[in-house]
Amino acid sequence: MPHSLWLKAAGTAAAVTLATATAAHAAPPAQSTAAKNTAAVVTLRYDDSRAGGWEAAITAGVASWNQNVGNVRLIEAAPGTRAEIQIVATSGWPQATLGPVRPGGQVRVELGSQAVSQGHDKTRIAAHEIGHSLGLPDTKPGPCSQLMSGSSAGTSCRNAVPNATERARVNSAYASGSASLTPADGRILVETP
């Protein structure tokens, strides 16, 4: 092999070795902001298999929360799997366990038809009661713009979207990818007119 060809081959081999060694010791690539945010999201499952007649309202209420908060995501539990939020239909007034529920924990939401028969909006009821599960107490009396004002906003209120304060409180409760250190307190909040 001619000397110049040998030097070229040796130089190429050294460059490949250096590149491989540098890559092996280089810092891992920075994670994108979207990937970081996805990793920090707390996923909670809900089971509405015993909430016949409320399916559309539950779907809309869940969508409202998922569209308005970033630190927690609600998904429907697969049949036969455990869910953190148990949603059932009842004949009484709506009520729910006050959270924030943690992954692996469990709270109950009762969607009462008595409120509907008195003229309250089903989607607002579902979103409001889910808000309790996420750690929000009632803010009664309150305006329609406050989801957690519940029935005090009157039967004409159809708002099922949490306001900025409500969104901030839920995002704070589920910050850093986990529920707050305070577990669900177990109190049942009953909606009354």
Side-chain angles (χ1 to χ4, degrees):
M1 174 184 288
H3 185 50
S4 62
L5 191 56
W6 184 85
L7 285 175
K8 187 175 181 179
T12 302
V16 168
T17 302
L18 181 60
T20 304
T22 302
H25 296 290
Q31 196 176 23
S32 72
T33 303
K36 285 180 186 176
N37 290 343
T38 301
V41 174
V42 174
T43 300
L44 298 173
R45 296 169 308 252
Y46 67 92
D47 175 4
D48 63 355
S49 62
R50 295 181 293 155
W54 287 83
E55 295 87 355
I58 294 166
T59 298
V62 165
S64 179
W65 281 108
N66 284 341
Q67 291 165 5
N68 286 287
V69 294
N71 290 343
V72 64
R73 182 112 184 118
L74 305 172
I75 61 168
E76 188 170 3
T81 62
R82 190 175 195 289
E84 287 85 8
I85 304 172
Q86 294 289 318
I87 305 174
V88 299
T90 69
S91 60
W93 269 93
Q95 59 185 1
T97 311
L98 181 60
V101 63
R102 295 177 184 218
Q106 196 164 63
V107 294
R108 182 177 170 97
V109 167
E110 295 184 9
L111 301 175
S113 62
Q114 188 175 354
V116 176
S117 68
Q118 292 187 15
H120 293 279
D121 181 67
K122 280 181 137 181
T123 300
R124 180 172 168 85
I125 293 168
H128 174 92
E129 298 305 327
I130 291 168
H132 287 317
S133 297
L134 299 176
L136 296 177
D138 285 317
T139 55
K140 294 181 179 181
C144 183
S145 61
Q146 291 178 338
L147 176 60
M148 300 314 293
S149 67
S151 61
S152 72
T155 57
S156 64
C157 181
R158 303 285 186 251
N159 174 40
V161 178
N163 68 19
T165 301
E166 294 162 335
R167 292 190 303 265
R169 287 187 68 183
V170 170
N171 277 324
S172 177
Y174 292 95
S176 302
S178 63
S180 70
L181 297 177
T182 306
D185 79 4
R187 284 187 293 156
I188 305 296
L189 301 178
V190 180
E191 303 307 317
T192 55

